[in-house]
Amino acid sequence: MKVHVPLLLSLAVALPSLAAQPFRAVNRLFVYPLSADTFEVIEDRGVGARGIWCAAADYTKAAGLDGARKRMYILEPRGPSKTVQGRMGVVYTLNPDDALRNTPTSYSVSVKRVGENLPVGHAYLFCEAFIEELFDRF
């Protein structure tokens, strides 16, 4: 039994770090889950609002959280990251409270206002340019 103790200890240390692994979206932005229905997209390479929404939608779809007519809401707008020191991020939720749910809709795509929201399918359309670029390489 003593032989298995080091193995069990190494697994116990490794499992929490595996759970904290980020998702890498199609546009190469990292997304960190914060809870079952809240996550943060980390800004990178000058990708603007459309790229950030794309990464949020890609994560939502990949995690199987994109039910019919599911909307993503900005819980915390672009600002210092909660998960990566020295970086900027946007925190999204799929389970808004009444205040978020009643945020007026906007005609522009932004990551600078709490409550901005889009259907997952709409936001995923912003990924098309990144997907086309991937296929153009082959």
Side-chain angles (χ1 to χ4, degrees), residues 2-63:
K2 288 183 181 181
V3 175
H4 298 292
V5 172
L7 176 63
L8 292 175
L9 286 175
S10 64
L11 281 175
V13 171
L15 287 177
S17 65
L18 290 175
Q21 293 298 315
F23 171 79
R24 189 153 198 176
V26 66
N27 61 1
R28 299 177 46 218
L29 295 185
F30 286 105
V31 181
Y32 288 83
L34 300 175
S35 71
D37 57 8
T38 304
F39 53 91
E40 181 179 36
V41 177
I42 304 301
E43 187 178 277
D44 196 13
R45 299 178 328 280
V47 172
R50 291 169 58 101
I52 293 169
W53 280 98
C54 160
D58 192 25
Y59 168 77
T60 302
K61 286 178 153 300

Side-chain angles (χ1 to χ4, degrees), residues 5 18 32 37 40-41 68 74-75 78 96 103 106 111 118 122:
V5 172
L18 290 175
Y32 288 83
D37 57 8
E40 181 179 36
V41 177
I74 293 181
L75 186 60
R78 183 182 181 271
T103 302
S106 175
V111 291
L118 287 173
H122 181 153

